Amino acid sequence: IIITILILSLAIPAFAQMRKAAGGTPTMGTCGTTPSVSGKDSGGTITVGTVTPPLTTCVLNLSQTYGAAPFCVGMDGSNTRTVLSATTTTTTVTFGAGDNYTTNQKIHYICGQP
C-alpha cells in the first residue's frame, strides 16, 4: 500500500504538468480582421483574417498565464514552409512574417514550456 501511495503521489504532479503544458484553447489577438485559431496552447493552426497590407505580425493569446514564457515555433502553411519568428511572453505569442501575411494564410505552431 505504501508503494502504491508513493507512486501515485509522484505521478499526480507529472500528469498535472502535462495537462498544463497542453494548455487550454487560445484566442486570437491582432492578426487581420476576424482571424481564427484551432488547437491548444501547445500547438495548432492560425488562420489569418482579412488583411489590409502591410500585416507583419500575428498575436496569439494563450489560454492561461504561464510561470515562464513558452518557447514556440511557427511555420508558414503555404507551399514555402517558411519558419516564422516567435516572440513570447507568459500570456502571448507574436509570430513575425518573413514577408506580409495574406488573407486566410495558415500559420502552424507548436509551443512548449522551458
Side-chain angles (χ1 to χ4, degrees):
I1 291 177
I2 294 174
I3 293 173
T4 303
I5 292 171
L6 179 60
I7 291 171
L8 288 175
S9 68
L10 292 174
I12 290 171
F15 286 120
Q17 186 61 33
M18 285 171 49
R19 275 195 316 272
K20 185 172 182 179
T25 304
T27 58
M28 288 306 306
T30 305
C31 190
T33 305
T34 63
S36 62
V37 59
S38 62
K40 300 285 184 190
D41 289 351
S42 58
T45 301
I46 294 169
T47 301
V48 177
T50 303
V51 173
T52 303
L55 178 66
T56 59
T57 60
C58 278
V59 178
L60 180 70
N61 299 316
L62 300 172
S63 68
Q64 58 188 306
T65 301
Y66 289 92
F71 58 89
C72 299
V73 65
M75 181 174 283
D76 180 353
S78 68
N79 292 331
T80 63
R81 303 289 184 210
T82 303
V83 175
L84 306 171
S85 65
T87 304
T88 61
T89 69
T90 57
T91 58
T92 64
V93 182
T94 302
F95 294 99
D99 201 352
N100 291 327
Y101 286 113
T102 58
T103 299
N104 295 325
Q105 181 176 351
K106 304 289 186 199
I107 300 169
H108 304 295
Y109 68 92
I110 188 165
C111 294
Q113 284 294 292

